[in-house]
Amino acid sequence: MSQPDFRTPLAILFREVYEGKHIDKDYTLFVQGGKGIFNTLEQVTAEQASKKPSAECSSIFAHLNHARHYLSLFMAGVRGEEVDLDWDATWAKQTCTEEEWAHLAKDMRREYEETYEYIQNGDLSKDEDLPMYALGELAHAAFHLGAVRSIMKIV
């Protein structure tokens, strides 16, 4: 079975949501301001990441911890591993230390790189749901990037 023809556009958009504007481009396709998740992580301290904008809203740390968990599910599924779908648990921790914040950034980078490599070179046709999950991951990451940017303006 041939690879889906959306692999290249998906990889470009996936890269952009995490890494922001490509060094060789003077534009982005959808990430306003050229900053992706990793650029945003670098601009926020653990103290800022731990602040909730209101009692009903989650912190930046919780948003990105949840997004990192969701990102990890894609490759776990590719590998055929059991996945933990306890969404409430991914939102439970709202605050972090500097060490936990750095650890989150490192883990998210590792999960991203593995997923990005698979999107570019893996067999997305090996499971009929993989293309949908990959597109879902892109949309999910974009949503949380937007949420984090909004919270940054408040905290």
Side-chain angles (χ1 to χ4, degrees):
M1 179 181 253
S2 66
Q3 294 296 321
D5 20 282
F6 69 91
R7 176 185 301 278
T8 298
L10 174 62
I12 290 167
L13 295 175
F14 187 76
R15 192 207 138 291
E16 185 173 301
V17 77
Y18 279 93
E19 295 189 40
K21 184 176 78 64
H22 192 279
I23 195 165
D24 295 336
K25 307 282 186 212
D26 60 356
Y27 62 89
T28 60
L29 297 167
F30 78 101
V31 175
Q32 184 181 8
K35 304 241 185 252
I37 289 175
F38 296 128
N39 310 105
T40 302
L41 271 167
E42 293 168 0
Q43 297 175 343
V44 177
T45 66
E47 181 181 355
Q48 292 168 314
S50 297
K51 291 180 182 175
K52 292 175 63 171
S54 74
E56 299 84 30
C57 295
S58 292
S59 68
I60 291 171
F61 176 77
H63 271 276
L64 292 179
N65 187 51
H66 170 80
R68 189 225 34 91
H69 180 74
Y70 191 85
L71 178 60
S72 74
L73 295 179
F74 180 80
M75 288 308 298
V78 166
R79 292 187 294 266
E81 299 170 2
E82 288 292 317
V83 295
D84 177 7
L85 296 176
D86 185 355
W87 296 121
D88 291 338
T90 67
W91 291 101
K93 186 162 172 51
Q94 295 286 321
T95 62
C96 62
T97 64
E98 289 292 339
E99 183 177 297
E100 289 168 325
W101 185 236
H103 187 72
L104 173 65
K106 181 180 173 188
D107 284 351
M108 185 170 267
R109 172 67 73 174
R110 181 180 38 78
E111 296 285 356
Y112 158 76
E113 287 175 355
E114 183 179 16
T115 304
Y116 182 61
E117 173 66 25
Y118 189 83
I119 287 172
Q120 287 185 301
N121 301 309
D123 184 5
L124 285 172
S125 67
K126 82 177 202 173
D127 179 321
E128 67 183 27
D129 290 332
L130 277 178
M132 179 180 60
Y133 292 148
L135 289 169
E137 171 51 45
L138 172 63
H140 190 256
F143 167 80
H144 286 288
L145 174 59
V148 166
R149 285 180 169 182
S150 294
I151 295 169
M152 286 173 66
K153 294 176 182 178
I154 299 169
V155 301

